[in-house]
Amino acid sequence: MAVKVRIPTPLQRLTQGQEEVDGTPGTVIALINDLDKRFPGMGERISEAGKIRRFVNIYVNEEDIRFLNAEETVVKDGDEVSIVPAIAGGAKQ
Amino acid sequence: MTQLLIRRELLNEIIDHCKEVYPNEACGILAGRGGIIKKIYRAVNVDDSSVTYRIEPFQVLKNLKQDGLEMIAVYHSHPHSEAYPSLIDVERASDLDSAYVSIYVIVSLMHEEPEVRAFATSDRKVREVELIVS
């Protein structure tokens, strides 16, 4: 049993439309780096210099990793990881 | 999509939300099935700002899925400016990595009467979408 990674609609073009892919157990940042090897381009869209980008949220078993151990949060077999980019804009010119 | 059809009561829900959080920007999701809007989901503006909005959509996406609906468009308000996409709207919407949908509904509260318009944004180009209220 692997880690279940839920891919958001905007990034599914990198996974050929797959909504869910397998991830490797370990830290969240290691999991993202591993995803990038299999789905090139994924890493830079989610993280920068080892940190999760400001406009992307990651949840492990529905817990926001900002309230866990951030990028170093450990995921294990059977855990579910959701990658959820923010939707943003506004009136500011 | 060249037209967006919405029932008057759903449009009023959006306008009410925008008025309630004024002078801050309101934001949320128009959801439905087969392109027909069935429900409005209010979202929290994480920026808590009068000039920007940011939705962290984990919970709202979960609610949509549970309700068997899909995201059709995103709405937000411009408390003090026209109902037209700003530069930041266009940039963020053209950023493929955060574009769940291409249709954006903007509510301007700068005049006494709220003005609501819809736009399709992609590739840094803006095209108005006809908003049909029934």
Side-chain angles (χ1 to χ4, degrees), chain A residues 6 8-11 13 19 45 54-55 57 59 62 64 66 82 84-93, chain B residues 25 29 51-58 62 65 74 76 78 81 86-89 92 96-100:
Chain A
R6 301 191 66 83
T9 314
L11 294 182
R13 66 205 156 84
E19 271 180 53
R45 284 167 174 83
R54 182 173 161 248
F55 282 95
N57 297 122
Y59 301 80
E62 309 213 341
D64 189 330
R66 290 175 296 184
S82 297
V84 187
I87 303 166
K92 192 177 183 179
Q93 292 296 344
Chain B
E25 289 201 14
I29 307 291
V51 289
T52 62
Y53 76 92
R54 179 158 45 110
I55 302 171
E56 292 183 345
F58 181 66
K62 230 174 90 180
K65 201 172 178 184
V74 172
H76 73 279
H78 283 180
S81 58
S86 66
L87 193 59
I88 190 172
D89 284 332
R92 289 297 301 167
L96 281 175
D97 303 334
S98 62
Y100 290 84

Side-chain angles (χ1 to χ4, degrees), chain B:
Chain B
M1 192 184 272
T2 55
Q3 291 181 331
L4 187 67
L5 279 76
I6 186 166
R7 293 205 314 274
R8 169 53 66 185
E9 63 263 33
L10 294 179
L11 186 65
N12 286 345
E13 272 186 42
I14 293 175
I15 294 170
D16 288 347
H17 181 205
C18 295
K19 284 180 175 171
E20 277 173 36
V21 304
Y22 181 91
N24 277 359
E25 289 201 14
C27 49
I29 307 291
L30 293 80
R33 260 189 300 266
I36 297 167
I37 298 160
K38 304 266 190 198
K39 193 169 173 180
I40 304 302
Y41 293 82
R42 291 181 174 205
V44 172
N45 180 0
V46 179
D47 283 349
D48 196 18
S49 160
S50 63
V51 289
T52 62
Y53 76 92
R54 179 158 45 110
I55 302 171
E56 292 183 345
F58 181 66
Q59 189 58 46
V60 74
L61 288 175
K62 230 174 90 180
N63 295 346
L64 248 80
K65 201 172 178 184
Q66 275 167 2
D67 293 344
L69 301 177
E70 56 200 40
M71 200 191 296
I72 293 177
V74 172
Y75 73 87
H76 73 279
S77 60
H78 283 180
H80 307 291
S81 58
E82 299 290 351
Y84 193 83
S86 66
L87 193 59
I88 190 172
D89 284 332
V90 177
E91 276 179 2
R92 289 297 301 167
S94 300
D95 175 2
L96 281 175
D97 303 334
S98 62
Y100 290 84
V101 286
S102 62
I103 306 289
Y104 292 82
V105 171
I106 301 178
V107 180
S108 168
L109 297 177
M110 72 181 299
H111 304 294
E112 198 174 329
E113 192 61 33
E115 185 189 17
V116 188
R117 292 168 75 185
F119 301 89
T121 313
S122 64
D123 252 355
R124 295 183 191 280
K125 290 192 188 78
V126 175
R127 176 172 56 79
E128 183 147 17
V129 170
E130 191 183 358
L131 191 65
I132 299 176
V133 183
S134 64

